[in-house]
Amino acid sequence: MSKIDSNVILFILSVSKRDGQQWSLEKRYSEFDDLNTNLKKVFTNLPPLPGKTLFKLKEHVDIEKRRVGLDYYIKELLKRSDVFNSESMKQFLQLEKHAQEQVVNPPKMLGEITGFIHGLRDFYIERSQNVIFVLSSDMNVASRVDAYLTNMKMPWEKEAPPTLLAVGCLECWVKTNDENEFKYERMWNKTYPSQAICLYWDAVTSTLIVGLDEGKLNLLKVPQESQFIRYDEQADIKAHQGRVMGVFYDSINSHIHSVSEDKKYKVLDFQRQITVAELQPSQHPLTGLAADKDNRRIFVSDKGGYVHVFEITSATMGPSLAASVASQTLSPIRGIFFDPVKNYLFTAGFDQGEIGIFEVGKSGREKFTKQTASLKGKLQMREIVWSPSRGECLVGNKDGTVTVWSAKKAAPIFVIKAHNTDITKLQWYEDKHMLVTSGKEKSLKFWQLPKEWRDKKIEQQEEIQNDILQRQINIQNQQETSKKKELDSDEDDLKGWHKM
């Protein structure tokens, strides 16, 4: 099929569905270019779009070359569920008008909390008590250096000066409105002379532990009976020589577990002011810590791409190393998450974008831990959580997006543009299908994921790409004159695309 209009080159997409329904879309090259620009804001590894030219194409051979390139571009895009499910592709293909049943139910932002002192590093929401603990840090390198110099203890000073310029901050926010689930108010904040990196809240003992960039651990008691309006300083411990990357509080033994970029995994008894254990599981800086409280296990990741599994067998002897397992790509692991229901460990690789899935097994079988799957995601992944009921991984990325991965399909199915800066923390609520995200900008966002991405009857059919059997791109060239000249259909018409 061909069509000529004055001074315009049109690309016609003719789409045929399984049920025989067809529709055609007339697109100029600029619309493909706009689509590509919008997709690049969210997705990586996109197929190449035929390049722009300085002058308008006039020769049929040049138009044909562009047509072939656009054919390849669209076909490759539609192989990806995450791209097909995006708002940009939905509008481009006019799916709501012609194929409503193929449109996914998108996640919705339920609420947002703003007004934090610095960019967010970490947070924890205690839903039963309607309280949020937030760590924020100055993200500007120049201002951090200035603050470090200002707060530095000079040789002639007997004591370190008070924090004159705050680089890190702990903030406590409490829900103030029963009608608005996302209306919180800051009750207090505590400043630090270095970046606040990670935190752990133990609701049983009302203990809050903060890990700092300078290697210190700050331990606080935040009484729940006082409605979180105050905190009591308990200890300020110089535990490491490098940035603290993960903390956990063992309330049974009153032990603080911490890992650091100084390659050390330490266990401290803060009540007796002693070090219970100091371990160095590898030659690489440690990057994260996850705990299985019920089965007394600790999981530690490092920059060499290894996961180390520890058993807590004795209060006096400290953890024992049960297994060290290498990820497939051996690239730095940035995010780590443990599912106590399935006994699986999930990791997010920063440099290579590897999602690692490790089978840990039940208690007592830690030495048999093995990697069972490796998925290729975006580069520079930072956080990962897992929904066992949905069978989905949610990965936070440096570009501010959250990618939803289907374990069944082993592929991404949706991408949320959650923040404009690095994702720093994800918290998932299984019962509500709700995701909470933070970025390096000063905001915390709440997202409702649909219980079903689309109607179950549609999901039971073949993949979306198989549901669209035939797509054609026809090229029309409008000459300078208004006289219509039909192009040869053998050259301009494409055969129906094969099933993908």
Side-chain angles (χ1 to χ4, degrees), residues 119-136:
L120 272 61
R121 276 286 189 184
D122 199 358
F123 70 87
Y124 183 78
I125 302 176
E126 182 59 66
R127 284 172 58 194
S128 63
Q129 297 293 331
N130 294 319
V131 64
I132 305 177
F133 296 106
V134 176
L135 285 187
S136 61

Side-chain angles (χ1 to χ4, degrees), residues 261-276:
E261 289 185 341
D262 67 2
K263 307 177 184 178
K264 299 296 177 60
Y265 165 27
K266 287 190 176 183
V267 182
L268 306 174
D269 186 327
F270 82 93
Q271 291 184 341
R272 294 190 294 165
Q273 297 291 306
I274 61 171
T275 299
V276 176

Side-chain angles (χ1 to χ4, degrees), residues 114-388:
T114 60
F116 300 105
I117 295 175
H118 297 297
L120 272 61
R121 276 286 189 184
D122 199 358
F123 70 87
Y124 183 78
I125 302 176
E126 182 59 66
R127 284 172 58 194
S128 63
Q129 297 293 331
N130 294 319
V131 64
I132 305 177
F133 296 106
V134 176
L135 285 187
S136 61
S137 293
D138 190 340
M139 300 299 173
N140 186 282
V141 175
S143 61
R144 288 207 307 267
V145 172
D146 181 56
Y148 287 145
L149 294 175
T150 303
N151 298 327
M152 184 182 298
K153 178 181 178 296
M154 297 303 174
W156 56 85
E157 294 178 315
K158 294 182 179 180
E159 297 181 357
T163 301
L164 301 176
L165 291 177
V167 177
C169 188
L170 168 65
E171 305 180 39
C172 176
W173 292 65
V174 175
K175 185 178 176 183
T176 57
N177 190 328
D178 292 334
E179 296 181 359
N180 187 343
E181 185 179 356
F182 310 105
K183 180 66 174 178
Y184 284 78
E185 197 173 279
R186 181 168 46 230
M187 300 301 293
W188 51 263
N189 64 271
K190 173 180 169 54
T191 59
Y192 298 99
S194 67
Q195 281 192 302
I197 304 300
C198 54
L199 64 79
Y200 185 86
W201 166 251
D202 182 72
V204 176
T205 61
S206 298
T207 300
L208 183 63
I209 301 173
V210 176
L212 301 173
D213 186 52
E214 61 184 332
K216 285 186 177 182
L217 299 173
N218 184 229
L219 188 144
L220 309 170
K221 290 285 185 178
V222 189
Q224 301 181 38
E225 60 271 15
S226 66
Q227 304 300 313
F228 302 99
I229 63 173
R230 64 179 177 85
Y231 64 87
D232 299 321
E233 195 96 30
Q234 296 293 303
D236 197 29
I237 307 167
K238 178 63 175 177
H240 295 278
Q241 299 303 312
R243 171 178 288 188
V244 179
M245 297 299 293
V247 289
F248 165 68
Y249 183 66
D250 176 6
S251 57
I252 296 176
N253 298 317
S254 297
H255 289 172
I256 303 173
H257 296 246
S258 61
V259 296
S260 168
E261 289 185 341
D262 67 2
K263 307 177 184 178
K264 299 296 177 60
Y265 165 27
K266 287 190 176 183
V267 182
L268 306 174
D269 186 327
F270 82 93
Q271 291 184 341
R272 294 190 294 165
Q273 297 291 306
I274 61 171
T275 299
V276 176
E278 181 176 322
L279 307 167
Q280 184 173 325
S282 77
Q283 296 301 313
H284 305 284
L286 305 181
T287 58
L289 181 153
D292 178 7
K293 294 178 65 174
D294 293 337
N295 293 304
R296 314 290 293 159
R297 300 185 289 193
I298 299 291
F299 308 97
V300 176
S301 59
D302 68 29
K303 280 192 174 181
Y306 282 80
V307 169
H308 311 281
V309 185
F310 292 88
E311 299 174 275
I312 305 175
T313 55
S314 169
T316 56
M317 298 298 293
S320 60
L321 181 63
S324 290
V325 184
S327 62
Q328 183 170 306
T329 61
L330 290 176
S331 66
I333 295 173
R334 186 64 183 86
I336 183 169
F337 182 86
F338 179 70
D339 173 20
V341 177
K342 302 285 187 180
N343 285 303
Y344 275 91
L345 187 73
F346 300 84
T347 61
F350 190 77
D351 289 353
Q352 299 296 323
E354 179 191 13
I355 298 174
I357 304 174
F358 298 79
E359 183 179 358
V360 178
K362 296 181 179 180
S363 180
R365 296 185 58 81
E366 290 79 11
K367 66 180 180 179
F368 300 111
T369 299
K370 61 181 180 180
Q371 184 172 7
T372 58
S374 175
L375 306 175
K376 176 62 176 177
K378 284 186 175 183
L379 299 182
Q380 300 180 325
M381 297 187 298
R382 294 178 56 90
E383 285 290 317
I384 187 168
V385 293
W386 160 254
S387 168

